[in-house]
Amino acid sequence: MTRGSQRERDRERALARTGGKGKTKDDGLTPEQRRERDAKALQEKAAKKAAQAAAAASGGGGKGNNNTKK
């Protein structure tokens, strides 16, 4: 069996496993709507990160090392 036919068979098997979805990104949004959605998600993520940084800076805890050896 040649390598080319093996690749082809693997592609067919992968397609069968995924249910024939393929590589489509059709979520029903226009590019503009997608940009707006992504921008909003990034803003929320940045705000959350800023809030965590502010809490850590004020001694609020967070992910800091609270392990002290005595």
Side-chain angles (χ1 to χ4, degrees):
M1 171 169 45
T2 64
R3 186 69 180 152
S5 65
Q6 185 176 354
R7 282 190 193 117
E8 197 171 312
R9 284 184 43 226
D10 284 345
R11 284 190 190 111
E12 290 173 3
R13 289 179 63 221
L15 189 64
R17 276 193 301 267
T18 61
K21 293 178 188 173
K23 290 186 176 182
T24 59
K25 289 194 214 176
D26 187 21
D27 53 2
L29 299 175
T30 65
E32 182 63 30
Q33 291 171 328
R34 193 173 296 116
R35 274 190 289 276
E36 290 174 7
R37 178 196 64 191
D38 294 346
K40 183 179 177 187
L42 285 174
Q43 288 172 351
E44 290 173 357
K45 185 177 178 181
K48 183 178 176 183
K49 188 163 188 155
Q52 285 180 344
S58 67
K63 291 186 178 180
N65 267 343
N66 294 337
N67 299 336
T68 57
K69 294 185 180 179
K70 293 182 180 178

